């Protein structure tokens, strides 16, 4: 429907300018403010910095509060990598069985999985569970919670994809003497690569950006994650807008890199995930 | 990859033969594959969700608990500061969801139309979805500064005196909702784009042949055939809107006063104050709200889609 009609140049130009103003100006503001001196940044203006203090601000932010930002980056990386690695494997295994064995049992389980997308997590009872298991205020505890929260989304996406993997493959592998574990990890799992990439990228961004879970389940400065430090930074350095925006800029860089490399997978994954849910 | 939505019931029937195979043979799909993932999901998600109903009936300090019946709920609905959170949650979810549907649809129509720079605009609109919500909240807190903020300065230039946004009790909740739309409209747009691009081009051709103008083509072809996308956007943004916490917390902390407090921020405040039972009651109210709004919608949309 689009190929035959000639592109409308005026409309295009107008739309591009509008999109740039609405969606890019806030990011430009972040970068420019992150490069200003403290007094200039306090004016909150959208303007070119009169003197570039970018490197100085970068150093100040990193060194602030005893290198808390470095600790936070390390913690957030551990949290993201561990949660995503585990959830991908466990969700793929579960989705494989749920997709291949259709019956009253599994469709009931599917409803439970779906509930995971809808129900708002009960936070204080989760803290209670973590305390009972001795995992409250520990990184493994937070990782397990993130896995639980991500499970539903991942299982649904994996199921939809596994439906396109032919059953004949399973049969052939079984006849060749592969057990369930061999069948899944040697034959099926490698075929899931496209959806694994999508899930890894999307979930990494989700967990990296998660604020509420660390706030509730892993409080305390020594365990800080990037979102938490960003939030507390604002309270402690009320007028140092240049440093605040440098902090925002640094926290935004990892998702930006992910986006530039994996744009297609992210968009298709989030569309599929939302249509499914 | 895109339109895999409501085929669940149909595919279950197709797959039925598979489960009738001889049971004696060991299945290549063992149920224990469900155990590790299911265990984590159960312990850290399902158990707390179920226990919440019990804990919401107690006065609770994590160490000991005393059963007090429905007192927490009574207190919740009696205290205007708490009960207004329920109303704000509904308003917030409705506003964000409505705007995301309208703007997402409009942007998607624009970006699937005869236009240059489509890829650029799609990327630009989608990127905020991936950015830290806390970062977005703090940035807009600055941009929305009543006097010095870039937004009001820009409005001044064209002769409009902008509102005080986040510090005006009448505007605070709406301001946060607008920022939510700014951040989330990219996702709605790409969902709609997928929906619109899956409509066969012949439909538009045929409508054109019959003399339908652009508006009629939109009204009678695009709109009805993109309905699955609309359903997704509505449900997704309603759920997201009702559960929203981080953006509101970063921008207003529920203030000024309690004018932008929503359920999720009430839950957090009561937790911070040590009223765990009350906090959990708030959680249960939120749970019932989400279920009470989303389930009927699911049912409604699925029922109307069946006859095909």
């Amino acid at each position: 429907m689009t190929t035959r009609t000639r592109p409308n140049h005026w409309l295009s130009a107008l739309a591009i300018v509008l999109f740039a103003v609405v969606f890019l100006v806030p990011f430009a503001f972040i970068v420019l403010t992150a490069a200003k001196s403290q007094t200039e940044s306090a004016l909150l203006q959208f303007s070119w910095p009169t003197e570039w203090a970018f490197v100085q601000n970068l150093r100040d932010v990193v060194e602030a509060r005893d290198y808390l930002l470095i600790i936070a980056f390390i913690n957030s990386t551990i949290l993201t990598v561990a949660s995503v690695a585990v959830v991908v494997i466990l969700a793929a295994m579960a989705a494989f069985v749920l997709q291949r064995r259709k019956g009253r049992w599994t469709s009931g389980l599917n409803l439970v999985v779906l509930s995971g997308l809808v129900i708002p997590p009960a936070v204080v009872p989760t803290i209670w569970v973590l305390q009972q298991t001795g995992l409250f205020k520990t990184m493994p505890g937070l990782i397990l919670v993130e896995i639980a929260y991500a499970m539903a989304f991942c299982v649904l996406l994996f199921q939809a994809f596994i439906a396109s993997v032919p059953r004949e493959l399973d049969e052939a592998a079984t006849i060749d003497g592969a057990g369930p574990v061999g069948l899944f990890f040697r034959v099926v799992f490698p075929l899931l690569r496209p959806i694994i990439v999508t899930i890894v990228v999307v979930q990494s961004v989700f967990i990296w950006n998660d604020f509420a879970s660390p706030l509730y389940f892993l409080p305390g400065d020594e365990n800080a994650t990037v979102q938490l430090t960003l939030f507390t930074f604002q309270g402690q350095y009320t007028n140092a807008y240049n440093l605040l925006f440098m902090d925002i800029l640094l926290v935004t860089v990892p998702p930006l890199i992910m986006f530039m490399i994996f744009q297609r997978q992210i968009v298709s994954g989030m569309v599929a995930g939302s249509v499914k849910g | 990859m895109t339109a895999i939505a409501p085929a669940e019931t149909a595919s279950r029937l197709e797959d039925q033969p598979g489960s009738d195979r001889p049971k004696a043979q060991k299945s290549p799909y063992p149920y224990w594959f469900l155990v590790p993932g299911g265990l984590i999901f159960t312990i850290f998600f399902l158990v707390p969700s179920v226990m919440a109903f019990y804990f919401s009936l107690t006065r609770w300090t994590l160490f000991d608990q005393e059963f007090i019946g429905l007192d927490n709920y009574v207190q919740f609905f009696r205290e205007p500061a708490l009960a207004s959170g329920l109303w704000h949650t509904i308003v917030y979810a409705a506003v964000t969801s409505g705007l995301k549907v309208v703007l997402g649809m409009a942007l998607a129509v624009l970006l699937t139309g005869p236009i240059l720079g489509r890829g650029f605009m799609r990327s630009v609109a989608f990127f905020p979805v991936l950015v830290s919500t806390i970062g977005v909240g703090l940035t807009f807190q600055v941009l929305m500064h009543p006097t010095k903020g870039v937004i009001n300065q820009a409005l001044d230039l064209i002769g409009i005196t902008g509102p005080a946004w986040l510090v005006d009790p009448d505007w605070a909740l709406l301001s946060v909702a607008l920022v939510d739309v700014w951040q989330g409209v990219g996702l709605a747009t790409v969902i709609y784009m997928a929906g619109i691009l899956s409509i066969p081009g012949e439909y538009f051709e045929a409508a054109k042949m019959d003399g339908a103008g652009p508006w009629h083509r939109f009204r009678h072809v695009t709109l009805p055939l993109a309905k699955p996308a609309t359903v997704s956007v509505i449900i997704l943004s309603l759920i997201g809107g009702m559960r929203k916490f981080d953006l509101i917390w970063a921008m207003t902390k529920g203030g000024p006063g309690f004018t932008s407090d929503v359920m999720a921020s009430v839950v957090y405040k009561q937790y911070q104050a040590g009223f765990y039972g009350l906090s959990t009651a708030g959680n249960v109210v939120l749970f019932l709200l989400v279920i009470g709004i989303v389930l009927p919608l699911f049912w409604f949309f699925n029922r109307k889609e069946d006859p095909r």
Side-chain angles (χ1 to χ4, degrees):
Chain A
M1 74 190 241
T2 50
T3 42
R4 258 146 300 186
T5 23
R6 215 153 30 85
N8 184 331
H9 290 282
W10 281 109
L11 186 66
S12 306
L14 186 71
I16 289 174
V17 170
L18 207 67
F19 269 72
V21 169
V22 172
F23 291 108
L24 287 185
V25 163
F27 290 107
F29 184 82
I30 294 174
V31 176
L32 291 176
T33 310
K36 286 176 180 174
S37 67
Q38 183 165 336
T39 39
E40 204 188 352
S41 70
L43 299 174
L44 310 183
Q45 279 168 344
F46 183 61
S47 62
W48 206 250
T50 43
E51 47 170 326
W52 285 79
F54 196 87
V55 179
Q56 183 59 44
N57 290 343
L58 182 62
R59 196 177 301 144
D60 286 353
V61 166
V62 172
E63 285 172 3
R65 300 184 287 179
D66 278 338
Y67 296 91
L68 189 62
L69 194 67
I70 304 278
I71 297 171
F73 262 84
I74 295 173
N75 281 337
S76 277
T77 310
I78 294 173
L79 173 67
T80 307
V81 172
S83 316
V84 172
V86 176
V87 82
V88 161
I89 294 173
L90 299 190
M93 286 169 67
F96 181 55
V97 174
L98 285 177
Q99 202 282 324
R100 288 302 198 237
R101 288 196 157 194
K102 294 284 181 182
R104 208 173 305 139
W105 242 87
T106 44
S107 65
L109 284 179
N110 267 324
L111 265 181
V112 176
V113 172
L114 206 61
S115 77
L117 285 183
V118 179
I119 297 177
V123 277
V124 189
T126 310
I127 292 178
W128 175 79
V129 167
L130 288 170
Q131 280 199 329
Q132 298 296 310
T133 47
L135 292 167
F136 187 44
K137 296 190 186 180
T138 65
M139 184 56 90
L142 181 59
I143 291 173
L144 287 167
V145 172
E146 294 283 11
I147 293 170
Y149 290 175
M151 191 67 74
F153 181 86
C154 297
V155 167
L156 286 173
L157 277 193
F158 270 126
Q159 274 201 60
F161 192 87
I162 290 172
S164 70
V165 176
R167 266 165 189 276
E168 287 75 37
L169 219 62
D170 309 353
E171 276 147 28
T174 310
I175 289 166
D176 287 348
V181 176
L183 164 66
F184 179 71
F185 284 102
R186 294 245 182 83
V187 181
V188 177
F189 197 72
L191 293 174
L192 304 181
R193 225 185 93 149
I195 194 70
I196 290 174
V197 173
T198 300
I199 287 180
V200 165
V201 174
V202 171
Q203 283 303 329
S204 302
V205 174
F206 278 176
I207 295 176
W208 178 266
N209 285 338
D210 189 12
F211 171 70
S213 306
L215 180 71
Y216 278 113
F217 309 128
L218 194 65
D221 256 0
E222 67 280 12
N223 297 318
T225 60
V226 283
Q227 306 302 329
L228 273 186
T229 39
L230 182 55
F231 183 73
T232 52
F233 193 91
Q234 179 219 208
Q236 289 177 13
Y237 291 73
T238 336
N239 277 315
Y241 285 103
N242 53 343
L243 301 190
L244 175 66
F245 278 86
M246 178 57 82
D247 203 345
I248 296 174
L249 183 63
L250 290 177
V251 171
T252 309
V253 166
L256 179 64
I257 295 173
M258 285 293 222
F259 183 61
M260 292 200 295
I261 305 175
F262 297 107
Q263 187 181 166
R264 205 166 40 81
Q265 285 90 344
I266 293 180
V267 170
S268 71
M270 293 191 62
V271 170
S274 53
V275 171
K276 203 58 199 163
Chain B
M1 201 60 247
T2 48
I4 31 172
E8 212 118 38
T9 40
S11 69
R12 199 192 308 147
L13 290 177
E14 284 165 18
D15 281 324
Q16 209 72 62
S19 53
D20 284 338
R21 259 179 289 188
K23 291 264 154 59
Q25 191 188 326
K26 231 173 95 200
S27 165
Y29 316 121
Y31 277 125
W32 70 261
F33 268 33
L34 302 172
V35 172
L39 214 55
I40 295 179
F41 186 69
T42 306
I43 295 175
F44 295 99
F45 181 76
L46 291 179
V47 168
S49 299
V50 174
M51 289 301 278
F53 285 90
Y54 168 70
F55 284 130
S56 70
L57 303 174
T58 63
R59 186 175 291 121
W60 180 32
T61 59
L62 282 183
F63 300 105
D64 68 329
Q65 43 200 263
E66 181 197 343
F67 191 83
I68 54 167
L70 292 171
D71 280 10
N72 285 324
Y73 292 95
V74 172
Q75 191 187 351
F76 181 88
F77 285 104
R78 235 188 235 149
E79 237 169 87
L82 304 181
S84 67
L86 185 59
W87 173 240
H88 295 152
T89 307
I90 296 170
V91 171
Y92 186 88
V95 169
T96 49
S97 178
L99 284 176
K100 281 177 192 173
V101 167
V102 174
L103 293 175
M105 182 61 141
L107 295 186
V109 169
L110 181 73
L111 292 185
T112 49
I115 202 164
L116 299 169
R118 185 179 304 148
F120 164 78
M121 285 189 276
R122 195 189 66 168
S123 305
V124 162
F126 187 78
F127 181 57
V129 174
L130 304 178
V131 174
S132 144
T133 308
I134 300 297
V136 168
L138 297 179
T139 305
F140 272 88
Q141 204 182 34
V142 169
L143 295 177
M144 285 178 159
H145 189 284
T147 50
K148 297 191 285 179
V150 170
I151 294 178
N152 275 358
Q153 298 267 336
L155 288 176
D156 268 346
L157 284 182
I158 51 173
I160 302 172
T161 312
W165 303 111
L166 299 168
V167 293
D168 182 336
D170 292 331
W171 274 87
L173 187 67
L174 192 64
S175 308
V176 182
L178 290 176
V179 176
D180 190 322
V181 172
W182 178 84
Q183 193 187 8
V185 74
L187 183 57
T189 306
V190 294
I191 293 173
Y192 268 121
M193 285 176 77
I196 292 174
L197 291 175
S198 70
I199 300 172
E202 296 90 59
Y203 290 4
F204 292 98
E205 292 299 319
K208 220 175 192 171
M209 295 284 201
D210 293 342
W215 167 252
H216 274 94
R217 289 204 296 273
F218 170 74
R219 174 69 189 79
H220 296 288
V221 180
T222 312
L223 204 55
L225 288 176
K227 200 186 132 195
T230 308
V231 174
S232 306
V233 173
I234 290 178
I235 290 184
L236 192 72
S237 49
L238 275 181
I239 296 175
M242 286 187 277
R243 289 164 57 159
K244 203 69 174 188
F245 170 69
D246 41 9
L247 187 65
I248 293 160
W249 197 246
M251 294 187 77
T252 66
K253 292 205 173 77
F258 301 100
T259 50
S260 62
D261 246 336
V262 294
M263 290 307 299
S265 64
V266 167
V267 167
Y268 182 65
K269 280 180 179 173
Q270 298 308 322
Y271 161 70
Q272 260 188 326
F275 300 122
Y276 297 151
L278 188 58
S279 167
T280 308
N283 227 319
V284 172
V285 172
L286 176 60
F287 167 86
L288 295 176
L289 179 72
V290 173
I291 296 291
I293 290 183
V294 170
L295 273 193
L297 277 180
F298 258 135
W299 178 78
F300 176 73
F301 286 129
N302 281 335
R303 188 187 53 134
K304 291 193 86 179
E305 250 164 46
D306 271 340
R308 251 198 264 183

